[in-house]
Amino acid sequence: MCHPPRITSSGAIEYTVDFSDTISDKITIYENDNKDLTINFYEGNTHTVLQFLSDGRLSVNGGEAVPYKATEIYYTPSLRGSSSGPLRMSNVEYSLSPFGSASSYTLYCGTYSGTKCSWGVATLVGLATGAVATIICAAVNAGLALSLGASIFSGVAAALITRCEIYGMDDAYYSWQFEKYERTDSMSIDRYYKYTGACYSRKNLAGTAYPHTYYYHRWFS
């Protein structure tokens, strides 16, 4: 659950996200004149800082900046056409639950995968759950990463952190693959999509798989 945001005296956006009964992050977001975005995550005694630089790189806790998009992204589109209609304001929302009937998401739209995504750190231990979820989202979809929708990957992030605490890091990279489906009754200005697949603890879709499905609704007003 996301609590209402507020603007701090320094001009940053601040809000709190409850990922579960036991995990809650206070988050502040600030963009400088160079369009570099700094996101602070406060989770208990843990403080994680992500900096999304305007040149497409990500720095974690002040470490060496690395590209935050996957180095290899594959997309196999379907033959089904798409039209967004006349130019309007675009609105989006993400959810772990389907919008309507889950069985109606049957129109295949394509397969996406990123086979080599850098974490930007030597270990996930000590990072806030929201920060790890945001790093994943940055590779899967940058627009999702920098929105409140990043919380939909909090379960995957928490599982990856727990595995790292027990077994150590599997790799300096992670990877992912998702198939995209559209709801059969989508309209040109009101579209419903399902993304289903998995994140992996190693590059090249190897290591431990973390199956995940989320839904995306886009409409124009």
Side-chain angles (χ1 to χ4, degrees), residues 12 17-18 24 83 109 121 125 134 146 191 211:
V17 176
D18 297 326
S24 180
S83 174
C109 299
V121 289
V125 175
T134 299
L146 307 183
R191 313 301 285 260

Side-chain angles (χ1 to χ4, degrees), residues 30-84:
Y30 175 77
E31 184 177 77
N32 64 19
D33 293 338
N34 294 326
K35 303 300 181 182
D36 299 327
L37 196 68
T38 299
I39 309 179
N40 287 274
F41 297 85
Y42 300 90
E43 183 179 304
N45 295 323
T46 299
H47 176 206
T48 304
V49 183
L50 302 185
Q51 289 181 296
F52 289 91
L53 306 180
S54 58
D55 62 4
R57 294 180 301 146
L58 167 68
S59 174
V60 182
N61 285 338
E64 181 180 359
V66 298
Y68 68 79
K69 296 292 284 183
T71 54
E72 298 177 38
I73 299 179
Y74 301 99
Y75 169 51
T76 306
S78 69
L79 298 178
R80 187 171 187 268
S82 172
S83 174
S84 59

Side-chain angles (χ1 to χ4, degrees), residues 7 21 31 41-42 55 68-70 75 79 92 97 114 120 123 135-136 141-142 145 148 153 169 173 198 209-210 214:
I7 305 298
D21 292 338
E31 184 177 77
F41 297 85
Y42 300 90
D55 62 4
Y68 68 79
K69 296 292 284 183
Y75 169 51
L79 298 178
V92 298
S97 302
T123 177
I135 293 171
I136 295 171
N141 183 324
L148 306 186
F153 275 94
M169 289 284 282
Y173 301 93
Y210 296 85
Y214 65 96

